[in-house]
Amino acid sequence: MSPPPSRPLAYGYLALSMTLVGCYVALSKPLAAVLPVFLLAWLRFGIGAVAMLHWLPKPPEEAPLDARTRWLLFAESFLGNFLFTVCMITGVKWAGAVTAGVILAAIPAAIAVMGWVFLNERVTQRTGLAIACAILGIALFSLSKQEQLPLATKAFGTENTQGMIWLGQLLLLAAVVCEAAYSVIGKKLTDTLGPKRISSLINLWGFALSTPLGLYAAWDFDFASVQWNTWVLLVFYALAACIWTVWLWMTGLKTVPAAQGGIFTVFLPVSSTLVGVVWLGETLHALQWLACAIALAGVLLATLPSRLAWRIRSVQ
């Protein structure tokens, strides 16, 4: 197993991982307009499985998988890939995009709590302040985009009833728990397995879990109607979602505590927004720029060397 990266390099891996997540989330909008959700998920995992075939064999220095590790791999894929996607998509559909953004802003705090409970990680004052900045930034950014709510409701073709709204909120809370579990379980797995092995194994579980619904969606789908540029975008989406982001995240977690790593989830909405501005023609208001600045300030606070951070706080 390769040695863990230095702390600055690990920060870069975590930031790049969430940046790529934000990019493919934004660019997946055209894919979701053409392909059914479960077919899209199945094709994503299938492409990833083919691309990672050479990562599947056990390295000579790795111990055989025991029952506990096998269970953690299944839980990592089921919670972090399959269940998170289902809860998030359905939650956004029933509760609205703004509500989803506010609730999902709790992910850094949820990771910190789970890291404290299951990994005995101590949450320092600096990390706590950074988590607060991350939550405030993401929530403020979501609340500043209220114009998206009527558009999202119209896109789904239904008016949300009160019952559907609270059920959607519960599903979004479940998505927060799933994403936090993904980070904490991933931290556990990096103690015994390498990032490449983890990436390939949890992707294989994702392919198995999505196959029944994927085959059902593919049964009467007209594949000939899909244009070539959509297939190119699908390949990028699959490689980014299944390989690059997972490997980068797991490699970073080999060095960085789960609670501190969770702060880097702020790069997801920031990068997704930038993609929307640059490629999809969206615009940002002053409040949204402020929200991004607060969120990124949390990352800076969490990653600055201790002495430099103390000097900055003293000046303030």
Side-chain angles (χ1 to χ4, degrees):
M1 191 183 302
S2 59
S6 64
R7 188 164 287 264
L9 188 58
Y11 291 152
Y13 285 150
L14 294 173
L16 183 56
S17 175
M18 286 295 107
T19 299
L20 282 174
V21 171
C23 290
Y24 78 65
V25 165
L27 294 176
S28 65
K29 292 179 181 179
L31 289 174
V34 176
L35 299 167
V37 172
F38 289 112
L39 177 60
L40 177 59
W42 184 54
L43 291 174
R44 159 195 159 174
F45 288 120
I47 294 171
V50 173
M52 286 189 285
L53 279 176
H54 61 295
W55 286 2
L56 273 175
K58 184 181 79 66
E61 70 276 7
E62 182 184 291
L65 296 178
D66 55 21
R68 176 178 174 274
T69 304
R70 293 175 187 273
W71 164 249
L72 288 176
L73 286 167
F74 169 77
E76 178 82 339
S77 184
F78 179 72
L79 294 173
N81 287 335
F82 183 77
L83 200 58
F84 173 79
T85 301
V86 172
C87 290
M88 184 182 65
I89 291 175
T90 311
V92 171
K93 177 178 178 179
W94 289 345
V98 174
T99 302
V102 175
I103 293 178
L104 293 178
I107 288 177
I111 294 174
V113 172
M114 280 197 174
W116 173 63
V117 173
F118 296 105
L119 302 177
N120 295 321
E121 291 184 352
R122 187 174 64 91
V123 180
T124 65
Q125 183 181 20
R126 278 180 58 192
T127 302
L129 290 173
I131 291 171
C133 287
I135 294 173
L136 177 61
I138 299 173
L140 185 62
F141 178 81
S142 302
L143 289 172
S144 68
K145 300 188 74 176
Q146 298 219 14
E147 72 277 2
Q148 290 184 350
L149 184 56
L151 295 176
T153 303
K154 181 179 179 181
F156 289 115
T158 58
E159 291 294 332
N160 291 341
T161 64
Q162 190 62 36
M164 292 171 66
I165 290 175
W166 74 259
L167 183 56
Q169 292 170 348
L170 288 178
L171 288 172
L172 289 169
L173 286 172
V176 169
V177 175
C178 288
E179 183 64 17
Y182 175 82
S183 291
V184 172
I185 295 172
K187 181 66 176 178
K188 281 276 190 183
L189 288 171
T190 57
D191 293 336
T192 55
L193 300 176
K196 292 182 178 179
R197 184 97 156 115
I198 296 172
S199 303
S200 59
L201 289 172
I202 66 175
N203 180 80
L204 203 59
W205 267 118
F207 181 69
L209 290 168
S210 62
T211 291
L213 292 173
L215 286 174
Y216 177 79
W219 184 257
D220 57 355
F221 181 75
D222 183 13
F223 287 91
S225 64
V226 181
Q227 298 181 356
W228 68 268
N229 55 342
T230 301
W231 292 117
V232 172
L233 185 58
L234 174 62
V235 171
F236 167 78
Y237 169 72
L239 295 178
C242 297
I243 303 177
W244 304 331
T245 57
V246 180
W247 181 85
L248 288 166
W249 189 256
M250 296 302 166
T251 303
L253 285 182
K254 288 175 67 69
T255 301
V256 178
Q260 194 176 19
I263 298 166
F264 286 85
T265 57
V266 303
F267 281 96
L268 196 163
V270 170
S271 61
S272 180
T273 299
L274 292 178
V275 169
V277 171
V278 175
W279 278 286
L280 302 180
E282 298 179 2
T283 57
L284 280 184
H285 305 299
L287 188 60
Q288 293 165 336
W289 284 113
L290 175 62
C292 290
I294 293 174
L296 293 176
V299 176
L300 189 64
L301 180 62
T303 57
L304 281 175
S306 299
R307 291 183 180 179
L308 181 57
W310 180 83
R311 290 175 184 173
I312 292 175
R313 288 200 302 270
S314 297
V315 171
Q316 292 174 342

